[in-house]
Amino acid sequence: MPQLDAQIGALLSSLQAVGTVDLSSAGVETARSNLELMAQLQSKDLTPMAKVEDRLVDGRFRTIPIRVYWPKAARDCVGVTVFYHGGGFVLGSISTHDQLARSLAHHSNSVVISVAYALAPENKFPAAVEDALDAFRYAKMVNWELCDKERGAAVPVAVAGDSAGANLAAVVSYLSRNDAHGQPDFALLAYPVTDAAHQDSYPSYLENSEGYFLTAKDMQWFGELYLNSPDEAEDLRFSILLAPDLAPYPKTLIVVAGFDPLRDQGVAFAKALKDAGATAELWLYDSMVHGFFSMEALVDKAKDAVKRAGEYLGQALLKATA
């Protein structure tokens, strides 16, 4: 049987001691503040960038704040990655995932665009999806500029995200298949939500329902805040695994954690992509918990996993250029 990583266990004990683990019981504002605090504690040594710039994107429905990270001079980058943060569509921000965005930029050598999509309950479904798609389209239009290429030059664009952000990256990869701007060249999905409509039917959802940072109670709370009505859980823009035909779909890397209620949803999505004829690779970190990509400052295996995933992302963008 897999064993919980010792550093993860110590971190969970520390968080439990200060009362920052039980997200749903805290309420929206307190849970948001707790997540910001956790990010600050884990971001003492930010990965340096050549340049960081905040911008505003004019979306179809809202103005979308983004932060752009250049790990090196623009002309030396291999492509652009649009990154969506996690947080159950309710929590999280550019700042909570600042270090993760920096790490992915550094290890992939790509320009990373971190997207502050609209959060629930202030903005219900499908607001986050709309913003995610608009931000991706923006990246497809300006990628040549971000990478200091001639106007109209082809620059590969990937999508990436963790948890709810991975859900958005997966959904954007699907919705853009008939888009004039085209699909992403690659998708990196860390512990994604893929089938919220039937999540209690997955063994990992029951096995890891509590005690490992994200709980089943939290997932129910997020869904209630995000959706207008329970029947929207069947919408493929939330439960992408229910899409009737996933082809065509970009090459995808799915990373899952052993002690995560969402583990089996990621596994099922990888299988569904392969069954549809897409290229999908699955990495299982069996001693990790949900959210471990954001724990790289405190957990050695998490740091190694982000580095490995970032390098894989960079190689995928290089291959897309060839």
Side-chain angles (χ1 to χ4, degrees), residues 2 25 56 118 149 158 160 168 171 179-181 208 220 253 271 278 282:
S25 296
L56 295 175
K149 306 296 183 183
L168 293 174
V171 171
D179 201 289
H181 302 287
N208 305 314
Q220 181 179 359
L253 170 63
K271 181 180 184 302
L282 178 71

Side-chain angles (χ1 to χ4, degrees), residues 77-150:
C77 293
V78 299
V80 175
T81 301
V82 183
F83 174 76
Y84 308 105
H85 66 78
F89 308 98
V90 175
L91 316 176
S93 65
I94 288 175
S95 62
T96 61
H97 287 64
D98 182 56
Q99 174 53 29
L100 179 53
R102 288 169 178 265
S103 289
L104 290 176
H106 172 71
H107 293 304
S108 67
N109 194 26
S110 68
V111 178
V112 168
I113 298 175
S114 185
V115 182
Y117 55 88
L119 296 178
E122 296 88 345
N123 300 276
K124 294 281 193 174
F125 175 83
V129 178
E130 294 165 348
D131 287 0
L133 186 57
D134 286 351
F136 171 70
R137 288 170 172 167
Y138 169 81
K140 292 288 282 188
M141 289 187 291
V142 303
N143 58 72
W144 61 272
E145 171 210 332
L146 297 176
C147 290
D148 194 20
K149 306 296 183 183
E150 293 184 8

Side-chain angles (χ1 to χ4, degrees), residues 174 177 183 245-249 276-278:
Y174 178 84
R177 61 183 183 167
Q183 288 179 291
D245 181 11
L246 286 168
Y249 205 88

Side-chain angles (χ1 to χ4, degrees), residues 42-53:
Q42 299 179 60
S43 299
K44 296 179 181 178
D45 299 310
L46 294 175
T47 301
M49 295 282 105
K51 180 182 176 183
V52 178
E53 180 180 294

Side-chain angles (χ1 to χ4, degrees), residues 11-26:
L11 177 59
L12 290 176
S13 296
S14 298
L15 293 174
Q16 189 68 54
V18 296
T20 59
V21 174
D22 194 355
L23 300 174
S24 54
S25 296

